[in-house]
Amino acid sequence: MSLEIERLFQSLFQHMAEGVALHEVILDAAGKAVNYRILNVNSQYQLFTGLAPEQVIGKLATEAYGTSTPPYLEEFTSVGMGAPSHRFETHFAPFNRTYEISVAPLGPGYFATIFLDITERKRNEVALRENQWFLQ
């Protein structure tokens, strides 16, 4: 890849409206995914998670997120191991936030998560449904 293309991709990565994290799948001796390491994050990552890059880069997911098991291990690592990209919505209890997450492969053993914090939108949808029910 030319230096110009690499510079353009780096600019895209840092200026996207979505949070982005690049990950490496961690396998056990039997070749089963047991965790993932955070390799890099963009500037929006901190806005949507509250975690600074220096708190997470190079760390295993369990350490970075303070969980006993890696969050969304199967959903994430399956893509890093060859499954197609996919998108899902989820409430992440440790942060009390709801996210829309896309998972994309980066090559064997690697994947990216691209995500938006949709907590406020979900709260507004619930409030709207409650108001509609009340008005009926």
Side-chain angles (χ1 to χ4, degrees), residues 3 15 19 39 44 56 70 81 85 88 94 106-107 120-121 123 127:
L3 290 176
H15 295 100
L39 301 175
Q44 291 297 91
V56 297
M81 302 305 288
S85 299
F88 62 99
L106 294 176
E120 195 59 36
R121 184 180 89 199
R123 286 183 187 144

Side-chain angles (χ1 to χ4, degrees), residues 9 12-23 36 38 40-45 48-49 65 72 75-76 79 84-90 98-106 110-118:
F9 274 111
L12 172 67
F13 177 74
Q14 286 304 329
H15 295 100
M16 290 178 66
E18 297 85 0
V20 180
L22 310 178
H23 309 276
Y36 52 91
I38 301 167
N40 202 356
V41 298
N42 72 350
S43 57
Q44 291 297 91
Y45 179 93
F48 293 146
T49 66
Y65 300 119
Y72 313 108
E75 294 90 337
F76 289 175
V79 172
S85 299
H86 66 277
R87 178 182 308 191
F88 62 99
E89 288 183 7
T90 185
T98 302
Y99 296 102
E100 179 178 86
I101 303 172
S102 294
V103 188
L106 294 176
Y110 297 90
F111 65 93
T113 53
I114 303 100
F115 61 97
L116 285 171
D117 181 344
I118 59 169

Side-chain angles (χ1 to χ4, degrees), residues 9 21 25 52 55 64 78 82 94 96 104 108-109 115 135:
F9 274 111
V25 178
Q55 291 177 276
S78 64
N96 193 27
F115 61 97
L135 292 174

